[in-house]
Amino acid sequence: MVVKDLVILGAGESGTGAAIFAQQKGWRVFVSDFGSIAPKYKALLDKYSIDWEENTHTIDRILQASTIIKSPGIPEKASVMIEVRKHPIEVISEIEFVFPFLNGKLIAVTGSNGKTTTTLLLDHMLRSVGLNVGLGGNIGQSAALQLAEGAKDVWLYEVSSFQLDDSFKFKPDIAIITNITPDHLDRYHYNFDEYIDSKFRITQSQTADDVFIYCNEDPVLQEQMLLRKSSFLPKTYSFGFAKKGIAWADSTSFFVKIDDNKFDMLIDDLKIKGRHNVYNSMAAAIAGLLMGLTKDQIRESFRTFNAVEHRLEEVLTIRGVLYINDSKATNINSTWYALESMNQPTVLILGGVDKGNDYSILEPLVREKVKSIICLGVDNVKIFEAFSGMCDIVETRTMQDAVQIAYISTNPGDAVLLSPACASFDLFSNFQDRGIQFKDAVQKL
């Protein structure tokens, strides 16, 4: 057998897992990370005697690869990728590398918003009936590492556009797109059509034996399904509040009907609240029914599912003021849903790394519900320009200051909502770090 050289760029969860799995499959593996590698991943790489480097990319060695697995966090404009693209080297994602080896059904979920909640709903649902689930992609443990450790009954991936960009034969049995709104446009030349095409790569290899589930009330998905109709192969199932697809809702309940299989549930019985979570639940219910779960099993899983951390997470009520952590809201649409769910005067903590945001979408909700905005970011010019005159706006550079300002500017019955609509990397390590710092600051009030 000819030993092939595999280079993995990025030694995070997916990169380290891919390295271990590839070595098991007989590849000669080298891991290169331009930043520092976390101690736990160094320990894993050393345990399996895998060569690695950190704080640099040794280009000559990288270019010896026959295949490169690229971390989804590395943009094409990175100097290492500019050099790699000059050569005929295959560049793929971890999910693409692992896909040919997967056993069992594969469900993959993407979308600008709701993909994490929908994926974790399905994970909770499938595990609750005793299935051995491999949760991977953008959340959970590296799918490659899980596969190295043993087989699963079903694989469940949350996939980002960045992962799909480097995927070519990746083919879910069930693919879900929750919605598509402008996001990550800085990675797509500020071209929304490029971002849309990236999301639809989740369906590119699907056949007539596969299933595609989507929201029929999302205008982008509506348009794309019309444009792609003549060449679209998988069976399609859609959901929305209006009765246009196989899942719909009224003011009290939502319903799913697949042929003679009917499901219904009271919206008030859902553990997670908000209109956006009704959409997520409809998508998960369709997939659950297609996977053969009973109506009672699906209902029980919805009743017992806990909210996703950093997504409309109620932290504490202090002096009659509710503090809500929605740090996972890294785009405008997520913040829109968060504000839409608010029923009290709200102090909104907003800002971070702007990804091409159009803040005008939030204007009606800001006028109706927001009493003041606290900017938390290095550059807040666009926020001031968008909302000046609608409410008080102040800016700060630390989470502790933002929470203190919110504390002195609220009254009993108000809410403080961290829903930034931006990436976190100007002041924080990631959105999780931002959310944790918010919760810590609130708990110290």
Side-chain angles (χ1 to χ4, degrees):
M1 183 181 78
V2 177
V3 178
K4 296 182 180 180
D5 286 296
L6 176 71
V7 168
I8 297 173
L9 299 179
E13 178 69 26
S14 65
T16 302
I20 294 167
F21 179 71
Q23 187 188 68
Q24 280 191 359
K25 292 298 180 183
W27 290 74
R28 185 164 44 229
V29 182
F30 175 60
V31 178
S32 177
D33 197 311
F34 197 65
S36 59
I37 301 175
K40 67 175 182 179
Y41 296 129
K42 287 182 186 178
L44 270 174
L45 293 169
D46 289 341
K47 177 182 176 181
Y48 289 91
S49 302
I50 295 170
D51 289 342
W52 56 268
E53 65 178 358
E54 63 179 342
N55 301 313
T56 189
H57 285 314
T58 304
I59 296 298
D60 288 347
R61 186 165 184 184
I62 290 169
L63 295 180
Q64 293 174 17
S66 55
T67 298
I68 291 174
I69 296 176
K70 177 171 76 76
S71 164
I74 300 174
E76 285 293 314
K77 64 183 179 183
S79 58
V80 65
M81 291 311 303
I82 291 172
E83 191 61 36
V84 164
R85 294 301 186 187
K86 296 176 183 176
H87 302 269
I89 302 172
E90 178 186 46
V91 179
I92 59 175
S93 63
E94 180 223 7
I95 63 172
E96 176 76 1
F97 182 70
V98 169
F99 171 72
F101 303 98
L102 294 182
N103 58 296
K105 291 278 189 181
L106 171 61
I107 305 171
V109 185
T110 194
S112 303
N113 306 103
K115 59 182 177 293
T116 301
T117 300
T118 302
T119 304
L120 291 178
L121 262 174
L122 278 165
D123 181 60
H124 178 66
M125 184 187 300
L126 296 169
R127 289 179 194 272
S128 70
V129 299
L131 291 173
N132 184 7
V133 180
L135 177 66
N138 211 31
I139 54 176
Q141 188 185 28
S142 161
L145 186 57
Q146 292 181 73
L147 193 59
E149 294 171 347
K152 302 291 183 182
D153 297 323
V154 58
W155 292 90
L156 178 59
Y157 282 9
E158 178 200 309
V159 292
S160 69
S161 56
F162 302 158
Q163 290 166 315
L164 291 168
D165 287 337
D166 296 306
S167 299
F168 307 93
K169 297 178 182 177
F170 178 75
K171 185 184 79 69
D173 298 285
I174 299 175
I176 301 172
I177 300 183
T178 55
N179 63 0
I180 302 180
T181 61
D183 196 8
H184 301 298
L185 297 188
D186 52 329
R187 282 280 291 262
Y188 293 97
H189 309 99
Y190 295 94
N191 185 325
F192 189 30
D193 287 336
E194 287 187 24
Y195 176 64
I196 293 168
D197 288 341
S198 176
K199 286 296 189 189
F200 265 90
R201 289 176 73 90
I202 199 171
T203 68
Q204 67 183 340
S205 297
Q206 286 192 301
T207 70
D209 294 326
D210 302 314
V211 168
F212 175 58
I213 300 169
Y214 71 99
C215 177
N216 58 40
E217 291 178 347
D218 181 89
V220 174
L221 288 171
Q222 285 179 339
E223 179 183 33
Q224 290 299 313
M225 292 308 292
L226 286 173
L227 291 173
R228 299 166 189 264
K229 186 176 181 179
S230 61
S231 58
F232 209 72
L233 295 179
K235 295 183 285 288
T236 59
Y237 298 97
S238 71
F239 61 91
F241 271 71
K243 195 173 181 180
K244 296 188 292 185
I246 65 160
W248 67 96
D250 59 24
S251 60
T252 62
S253 303
F254 74 93
F255 311 86
V256 183
K257 184 178 184 297
I258 303 176
D259 299 323
D260 294 327
N261 198 1
K262 299 177 182 178
F263 172 86
D264 63 86
M265 185 166 183
L266 290 171
I267 291 171
D268 283 347
D269 285 346
L270 292 172
K271 185 78 176 287
I272 50 176
K273 306 302 180 184
R275 183 182 179 93
H276 58 293
N277 280 322
V278 179
Y279 285 120
N280 297 334
S281 299
M282 284 193 277
I286 295 169
L289 288 171
L290 291 172
M291 289 294 293
L293 275 68
T294 69
K295 301 165 195 176
D296 287 342
Q297 287 171 334
I298 294 172
R299 287 193 193 97
E300 182 61 20
S301 66
F302 285 157
R303 290 190 183 105
T304 56
F305 175 75
N306 291 316
V308 177
E309 187 180 13
H310 309 300
R311 187 70 181 107
L312 288 174
E313 177 189 8
E314 296 186 2
V315 181
L316 284 175
T317 298
I318 301 173
R319 290 193 313 145
V321 176
L322 176 61
Y323 290 79
I324 301 172
N325 169 27
D326 194 40
S327 182
K328 200 173 188 304
T330 58
N331 58 48
I332 289 290
N333 201 49
S334 287
T335 299
W336 187 95
Y337 277 116
L339 284 175
E340 192 267 341
S341 71
M342 301 304 292
N343 297 314
Q344 60 267 73
T346 300
V347 172
L348 175 63
I349 302 176
L350 190 68
V353 179
D354 187 286
K355 298 182 286 185
N357 288 348
D358 177 5
Y359 290 101
S360 66
I361 297 166
L362 299 178
E363 181 178 328
L365 288 171
V366 168
R367 290 185 182 277
E368 177 188 354
K369 301 190 177 191
V370 174
K371 60 186 295 184
S372 63
I373 290 174
I374 300 171
C375 297
L376 182 60
V378 171
D379 183 0
N380 303 304
V381 172
K382 282 182 68 176
I383 295 173
F384 273 90
E385 289 175 347
F387 303 115
S388 181
M390 297 182 201
C391 60
D392 292 334
I393 307 176
V394 297
E395 58 182 340
T396 183
R397 295 290 179 87
T398 72
M399 184 62 77
Q400 184 176 0
D401 286 348
V403 170
Q404 285 289 340
I405 293 168
Y407 178 76
I408 64 176
S409 61
T410 49
N411 300 308
D414 291 348
V416 176
L417 172 66
L418 170 67
S419 191
C422 297
S424 56
F425 303 115
D426 53 348
L427 298 174
F428 306 94
S429 300
N430 46 44
F431 77 81
Q432 294 96 331
D433 176 39
R434 180 169 60 189
I436 289 167
Q437 288 197 34
F438 176 74
K439 291 193 285 186
D440 287 346
V442 170
Q443 288 161 358
K444 290 174 181 175
L445 288 175

